[in-house]
Amino acid sequence: MKKGIWIPIVVLIVLGGGVAMAFALNGSDDIALTDDFTSSFLDPEVETDEGFHYFQSEKNNFSMWFPAGYYIEDDPVGYESKDYFEFINIHEDQSHSNEKEYWGFIQLKYRGNMTDHRAHLQLNRLLENFSYENQYEQLQTQAATIYYGSSYYTLEGKRGVTYDPATHSANQYFALIQSPDAKEFIVVDYGLY
């Protein structure tokens, strides 16, 4: 073949390889980006740290950094969005589950039109379900009051038992983030299984 034909072929191969590498480096196989439902909430124009995407809730009630490798369950049992209530189940991609010992699950609940009393009822429910002996921390900022904690949860026989995260590696984490006027809050529960 002539030299004039080889040069365009080599250039196309190099460009094609560069494009393939760019897709690989940008996580094009990331389920958060490839799942149509999940990616509809993500804004790639907003900068985040590596391993996250910018997420905006359907009713624009909240935004967050969404973890790469996770997807939103597109099911009425796992996803609901109303003006004053949003419920989202976020699952870690298990397509590579044989490579990992653990997989994660996140549940978010947004509530608007609330009272301080109802937020404390929700906090008490969180503590009852996820804390070890009602242990939690509180962080006060100008933008929110944050109640958070962790515990180690396991099954012993047919009974669930919660242990102190100071003596066991925590596998469940929880938080309630409340607006300064106490009219909105978000509950987050993250578990490793």
Side-chain angles (χ1 to χ4, degrees):
M1 282 193 176
K2 294 184 179 181
K3 190 176 181 181
I5 294 176
W6 278 107
I7 291 174
I9 291 173
V10 170
V11 169
L12 286 174
I13 291 171
V14 169
L15 286 175
V19 169
M21 279 183 58
F23 276 120
L25 291 174
N26 289 330
S28 65
D29 62 343
D30 181 359
I31 194 164
L33 299 173
T34 59
D35 179 72
D36 289 337
F37 187 67
T38 304
S39 65
S40 69
F41 298 99
L42 305 179
D43 185 349
E45 300 300 314
V46 178
E47 188 175 328
T48 61
D49 282 351
E50 185 176 335
F52 293 93
H53 308 286
Y54 183 78
F55 170 91
Q56 181 67 49
S57 73
E58 182 177 333
K59 301 296 182 186
N60 295 318
N61 289 316
F62 67 95
S63 62
M64 67 178 200
W65 286 13
F66 190 91
Y70 283 70
Y71 66 95
I72 300 170
E73 186 175 31
D74 183 12
D75 182 320
V77 174
Y79 176 81
E80 185 177 349
S81 183
K82 300 186 180 203
D83 288 337
Y84 300 106
F85 176 77
E86 293 193 66
F87 175 78
I88 304 169
N89 282 333
I90 304 171
H91 302 272
E92 186 170 13
D93 181 14
Q94 293 183 35
S95 62
H96 310 291
S97 61
N98 58 346
E99 299 170 11
K100 296 180 76 173
E101 191 172 335
Y102 299 99
W103 59 270
F105 172 77
I106 303 168
Q107 188 173 79
L108 293 169
K109 294 178 209 163
Y110 165 83
R111 298 295 301 247
N113 278 351
M114 298 307 293
T115 64
D116 193 41
H117 174 73
R118 296 215 34 211
H120 282 289
L121 288 175
Q122 183 65 50
L123 176 61
N124 288 334
R125 232 179 266 136
L126 258 181
L127 294 174
E128 184 179 310
N129 293 334
F130 299 108
S131 73
Y132 172 72
E133 296 183 351
N134 290 331
Q135 292 179 5
Y136 70 95
E137 300 288 327
Q138 181 176 341
L139 175 64
Q140 184 68 52
T141 71
Q142 287 182 335
T145 302
I146 304 167
Y147 306 91
Y148 64 97
S150 64
S151 65
Y152 176 78
Y153 180 82
T154 189
L155 289 175
E156 292 182 357
K158 294 182 180 182
R159 193 173 79 94
V161 181
T162 304
Y163 288 101
D164 188 346
T167 59
H168 295 73
S169 296
N171 64 356
Q172 60 182 15
Y173 303 84
F174 61 90
L176 184 140
I177 302 98
Q178 184 177 9
S179 65
D181 63 4
K183 293 189 178 187
E184 297 177 288
F185 65 79
I186 294 176
V187 173
V188 181
D189 132 39
Y190 171 63
L192 290 170
Y193 301 96

